[in-house]
Structure formats: C-alpha cells, structure tokens
Amino acid sequence: MTETTWLWLDRIGIVWADLMLLATFAGGIVAVFKRGRIRDWWRRNRFPDIGRDLGQDERWPAFLLNVSKPDLPKWLIENQQPAAIALLATEQSRETADDIKAFAEKHGAEVLGPYDIDDPDDPSESHALAATLLDRLRQKGHARIAVDVTGGKVPMSIGAFMAAEEAGCDSIYISADFDRELKKPKPQTTRIRCISCPNTD
Amino acid sequence: MTETTWLWLDRIGIVWADLMLLATFAGGIVAVFKRGRIRDWWRRNRFPDIGRDLGQDERWPAFLLNVSKPDLPKWLIENQQPAAIALLATEQSRETADDIKAFAEKHGAEVLGPYDIDDPDDPSESHALAATLLDRLRQKGHARIAVDVTGGKVPMSIGAFMAAEEAGCDSIYISADFDRELKKPKPQTTRIRCISCPNTD
C-alpha cells in the first residue's frame, strides 16, 4: 500500500474514534439525567427459575432450617441424611429446635445452633444469621446447601430465602397434604418442592 | 507538528490498539473457561436494604395481598385508604377474600380479584399472578404499589415477594402482638414492617 492509502486509513480511523467518543459522551449525558430509572432497573432482582418439581433423588449434604414444628424437619433429616444442619429458632420454638438437634445428631449430622431470633417479624435478623451460617457451612466444606423456608414466620422465611439467593444456594419448601382428622401432615405425601433452585437439574 | 511526529503518534496508537485487542481476547478466553462461575456470580440477587422500620405516615395508593385471615387486611384498608387493591386467594380463603373485597369497596377502593391460586405450595403460581396484577395496577395509573406478604402460605408469600422485587415494588408485612386470651392480634399494636422497600425513605 502507498503512504497516501495509509494516511487516509488513519484519517478514517480518527473520524471514527471521534464519532464513538461523541456517542459515548451523549450516552453519558442521557445516563446522568435518567440515572434514577437506570439504577432502579439495574438493581432489580430476577427469579428466572422457580417452583419446579424436583427429582426424587435430589440430595443436599447440608441444610439450614427455620424451626417451628418438629414433623417436617425430622422427615427431611430421615429422608436426606445430611452431614450438617444449621437451625434458626425463636423463643417459642427453642424447645422444638433442641429436640430436632438431638434427632439430627442421632442420625449422624453435625448441628450448628439452634440460634435465636429475637424479633421473628424482622427479616433482616434471620437474613443476617442465615448468611453467617451459610458461610460457616461452606467453610466446613459443604458446597451444596439447601435453605428450607418451611418453618418460622413469613419474615423469617423471606429473610432466609434472601440469604440463600445472595449465596447462590437452593431454597426449598416441604409440602405435605394435611390430615384434617389427626390435625397433622400426612407423612406418606411429604415431598420437597423447589422455591428457587439454581443448583439442581 | 511535522509529518514524522504524526506518523509516530499513529504507530503508537496502532500498537496500543493491538495490545488492547489482545487483552480483550485473553479476557474472552478466560471468560469462556470460567463462564459458569461468572454467570452464577452475575445472576445472584442482592437485597441491600431490608427490614427497616417505616415511618407512620408512609402511604401507598395501591396494594396486592395474599389472603388468609380478614383482620390484618381490613386494618390495612382502614389505615391506608388505598385507591385500589388486588387480591390473591386459595380455595380455603376464597370466602374471606370476598368479605375483604366488600369491605374495601365500602371504603372506596377499586378491587381486582380475588384471583384463585390452585396450588398454594407452588411459588411460581402466585409469582405469575402477582406479576400480572402489578402490571394491571400500573396500567391503571398507580405508580406506587406495596405487596403485602403477610397472608397465604409461605410459597405464596415468597412468590408475591419475588414479583414485587422484579417490578421494583415495596414489599411489606403487617405485624401485631398476639392476644393469647382472645386468640387474635391486638389491634392497637398493629404496624407495617418493611420486608424490602426500595421506594421509601
């Protein structure tokens, strides 16, 4: 190529770069004026993969649970035989949580807690505790952890759910048909439902 | 400047562009091999601002509710005097939902629903319905909507919560001290708690 061709290629390149800079600058101006809407849109959470049915043979080596009643957590421990569980409880459910702890240890699981939640209506409390406990379970080498949101009051469940989402853990719900005569869940209908399960097939 | 200076500036520019392209290419190669971890990290949801106490004079013109019992929704309607509400109910709570609808209409609110949730243990059902109804409330001109996650089973609450997060709406919980003798919430202690409130101060 001649020197003149090179010169023109260079000039085209410079004009092109100027135009791109101008576009970037204009985009920047728009972004400053629309910053609120851009931030809101950008910050929004997304839940693309929720509520699927899980396979019968899905297994997690570790669980985090909010405790209210004993039946479903005990079913989970028998059914999954986890290596470790972490328990969150309230003043009302403390005794049940101790009972579940004994049951889990009998089944060979290491148990963290039960840890007390002071105000069950404050999601930030269960969120912070759950995040800490998920970290600790990970440090003990459990890479795959499920957060069971079945027990506890709604803000506790949502707090634990938020911690699961932030840590990239699965969140599950234990579902069972209710026996109206015996006033407790029918054990044979118990199954694990997915709330949000990024780590399952 | 002389032609020689320009020539050298161009050459520096070309070498610089080549280095940048090389870096982009190398980054791309790393990204392909680490794509799983990058995607997981990128996709994770974040909840930076949860569980705060709300001011007494916080007002929302529209609400979406999961219905189980009548007391707290009625308190919310009396306390907030919303222009519109949307109701999600199950077979069990359908009658209560109709009762709340009549109550809300008497207080001048437009009511969408009650819409039925077939399987209260499936969060994707309440998630999809709640997303549709939030859209419809927005189309009616209500920009500021709160999703009340107090009622319904846990998967319904979490489904509605996820729809609120995706739409950038506030989610709230109605909290009241429980009267053990009368076996119902004490009305004078009732207050609105924030679950996740991006639109409040």
Side-chain angles (χ1 to χ4, degrees):
Chain A
M1 285 200 290
T2 65
E3 282 298 310
T4 325
T5 321
W6 273 114
L7 188 67
W8 278 104
L9 277 178
D10 287 350
R11 283 180 181 163
I12 289 166
I14 287 162
V15 171
W16 176 239
D18 283 347
L19 287 175
M20 293 300 284
L21 281 170
L22 197 70
T24 309
F25 188 72
I29 299 271
V30 173
V32 168
F33 281 98
K34 299 267 180 191
R35 63 183 177 279
R37 288 192 60 176
I38 292 169
R39 184 197 53 190
D40 290 350
W41 173 82
W42 187 261
R43 274 193 183 173
R44 280 185 197 168
N45 290 321
R46 275 152 186 96
F47 306 88
D49 186 17
I50 59 171
R52 292 174 300 111
D53 269 322
L54 295 172
Q56 288 288 333
D57 43 356
E58 202 68 62
R59 288 286 176 280
W60 294 266
F63 289 92
L64 183 143
L65 305 167
N66 281 321
V67 176
S68 36
K69 284 171 191 156
D71 295 310
L72 297 181
K74 284 185 178 174
W75 175 87
L76 188 73
I77 291 160
E78 279 193 318
N79 181 267
Q80 290 272 329
Q81 302 284 345
I85 63 169
L87 297 172
L88 297 184
T90 61
E91 210 191 315
Q92 280 78 37
S93 68
R94 181 70 198 226
E95 229 167 285
T96 311
D98 285 333
D99 175 32
I100 293 169
K101 179 182 179 139
F103 185 86
E105 282 173 344
K106 220 175 59 191
H107 280 75
E110 181 184 4
V111 180
L112 306 182
Y115 292 91
D116 280 335
I117 286 172
D118 240 25
D119 180 357
D121 288 359
D122 179 3
S124 62
E125 226 186 293
S126 69
H127 171 262
L129 260 177
T132 310
L133 290 170
L134 289 176
D135 245 18
R136 223 183 290 169
L137 287 172
R138 283 235 166 108
Q139 278 163 19
K140 287 178 182 290
H142 304 294
R144 200 153 180 270
I145 310 166
V147 172
D148 173 16
V149 300
T150 316
K153 288 182 82 173
V154 167
M156 290 166 63
S157 293
I158 294 183
F161 169 72
M162 294 189 282
E165 288 288 305
E166 287 177 341
C169 292
D170 298 325
S171 48
I172 59 168
Y173 181 80
I174 306 172
S175 173
D177 301 338
F178 201 75
D179 191 324
R180 283 164 209 276
E181 278 171 47
L182 293 174
K183 291 195 172 168
K184 54 189 279 186
K186 289 186 204 166
Q188 69 277 17
T189 65
T190 310
R191 61 208 180 277
I192 296 174
R193 310 284 292 264
C194 160
I195 296 289
S196 172
C197 292
N199 305 313
T200 59
D201 296 322
Chain B
M1 285 198 289
T2 67
E3 282 299 310
T4 325
T5 321
W6 274 113
L7 187 68
W8 278 105
L9 277 177
D10 287 349
R11 283 179 181 162
I12 289 167
I14 287 161
V15 171
W16 176 238
D18 284 347
L19 288 175
M20 292 300 283
L21 281 170
L22 197 71
T24 309
F25 187 73
I29 300 270
V30 173
V32 168
F33 282 99
K34 299 268 182 192
R35 63 183 177 280
R37 289 194 59 176
I38 291 169
R39 186 197 53 189
D40 290 351
W41 173 82
W42 188 260
R43 273 196 183 171
R44 278 185 199 170
N45 289 321
R46 276 155 186 93
F47 306 88
D49 186 16
I50 58 172
R52 291 174 300 113
D53 269 322
L54 295 172
Q56 288 288 332
D57 43 356
E58 202 69 63
R59 288 287 175 281
W60 294 267
F63 289 92
L64 183 142
L65 305 167
N66 281 321
V67 175
S68 37
K69 283 171 193 158
D71 295 311
L72 297 181
K74 285 185 179 176
W75 175 86
L76 187 73
I77 290 160
E78 280 193 318
N79 182 267
Q80 291 272 328
Q81 302 283 344
I85 63 169
L87 298 173
L88 296 184
T90 60
E91 210 190 315
Q92 281 77 37
S93 67
R94 180 70 198 227
E95 230 168 286
T96 310
D98 285 332
D99 176 34
I100 292 169
K101 180 184 179 134
F103 185 85
E105 283 173 343
K106 219 175 59 191
H107 280 74
E110 181 185 5
V111 180
L112 306 182
Y115 292 92
D116 280 336
I117 287 172
D118 240 25
D119 180 356
D121 288 0
D122 179 2
S124 62
E125 227 186 294
S126 69
H127 170 262
L129 260 177
T132 310
L133 289 170
L134 289 176
D135 245 19
R136 224 184 289 170
L137 287 172
R138 284 235 166 109
Q139 279 163 18
K140 286 179 182 291
H142 305 294
R144 200 151 180 270
I145 310 166
V147 172
D148 173 17
V149 301
T150 315
K153 287 182 82 173
V154 166
M156 290 167 63
S157 294
I158 295 183
F161 169 73
M162 294 190 281
E165 288 288 304
E166 287 176 341
C169 291
D170 298 325
S171 49
I172 58 168
Y173 181 82
I174 306 173
S175 173
D177 301 339
F178 202 76
D179 191 325
R180 282 165 210 276
E181 278 171 47
L182 293 174
K183 291 196 174 168
K184 54 190 279 183
K186 291 185 203 168
Q188 69 278 16
T189 65
T190 311
R191 59 206 180 278
I192 296 174
R193 309 285 292 264
C194 159
I195 296 290
S196 172
C197 292
N199 305 312
T200 59
D201 296 321

